[in-house]
Amino acid sequence: MFRPARIKLTAWYLLIITVISVSFSIVVYTGMTAEVRRSLGRQALRAYIQREKSQVPDQGPFPPPFVEGSPDLRARSLHPPAFDPQVFAETKRRIAVQLVFINLGLLTISGFAAYFLAGRTLKPIEEMLYEQERFTADASHELRTPLTAMKTEIEVALRDPSFTQDQARELMRSNLEEIDKLQTLSDHLLTLSRYQKGLDSRGEVGLVDVFNQAVKKIQPLAEAKNIQILSDLQNISLEADKTGLVQLFTIFLDNAVKYSPENSKVNVAATVKKNKVVITVQDSGIGIRASELPYIFNRFYRADASRTKSQVHGYGLGLAIAKSIIDQHSGKVDVKSTPEKGTTFTISLPQKHRKKFFRISRPT
Ligand code: ADP
């Protein structure tokens, strides 16, 4: 799909270069032929003066010695002696041939350069389109799964003539579960698109406050698994979007609790290093294989262990949202993990916000 576009763009680049190069060559050709005509004229005049001088040797200083710009020379130049037109034509032809060769060489080199540059220009667009297509396919797949489950259950129920009220209640309960999943998915997608666009507002935010708000949301799950969430946040504050930070903590804490065994601990700590707030979220859960670590921040990516061993439901959008929030704060995230031992996420955010004039962010 992008090959014809690349060739078209190359043709446009070449056309522009050709127009510039040919116009420049015409100017050079006109200038050079005028200069050659002038030089040949001068040469012929000089030869004429020399000839006259040698023919009348004893008549004093006439014709006067050759002095550039002298009134006598100017007077003679009004009727300059003719130069050889064949020499002039030959020189003109040579200039023209040289310019044609220079242009051909230039256009050949430009052709390769234009093809290369067209590829570079189109690459980000190609990547974005590919991302968009993959995103649409993944989202459709995730949407189709609960819809298919609901449809099948309803069809089976409709075909059963002895369908009881209790069975109908059970069907509705099951459908409600699927609807909850769809709602969670659409909420995640909306949150992701919101944080990819930018942040609501920035202000001084205390980490303890953010942590407490996030823990409130995770508490029911943590209590159900008897997991302790411990913190050492040292009253640190930073310039950030508070809602975004609460979302960020919620995602990391939720994952830490989801992927940890019962009766374990999750540790959250923060320090300030060189004007950067460094936050760590550490758990002793199922861990992530090294081969899967580069992909966990991609949209819809779920590591094998989370699907098979822990059987935790999710859409693989949490870390993509977290990465968008971190990017919007000009921060960084790093992860270290050992399967069956645990995972540590390290998030580093600037303590003070610095305005950026240009920001180009790619979809994760
Ligand atoms: P999900 O909804 O599946 O949790 P996320 O985007 O939050 O989606 O995480 C992507 C994947 O990264 C998860 O499916 C899981 O495999 C892995 N992961 C994230 N956090 C942890 C963690 N603390 N321990 C183990 N695996 C994790």
Side-chain angles (χ1 to χ4, degrees), residues 251-252 255-256 258-259 283 286-288 296 298 301-304 306 313-320 343 345:
I251 291 166
F252 285 112
N255 278 349
K258 271 195 314 193
Y259 300 113
D283 66 58
I286 58 168
I288 308 162
I296 57 168
N298 289 357
Y301 187 84
R302 303 201 73 213
D304 275 347
S306 58
H313 187 263
Y315 289 106
L317 287 173
L319 289 183
T343 307
F345 283 96

Side-chain angles (χ1 to χ4, degrees), residues 205-208 232-238 269-272 277-278 351:
V205 182
L207 278 190
V208 176
D232 176 14
L233 296 169
Q234 303 175 33
N235 228 356
I236 292 169
S237 65
L238 71 157
T271 49
V272 179
V277 176
V278 182
Q351 205 165 20

Side-chain angles (χ1 to χ4, degrees), residues 57-72:
D58 49 349
Q59 279 197 1
F62 182 81
F66 177 76
V67 179
E68 187 92 44
S70 76
D72 182 64

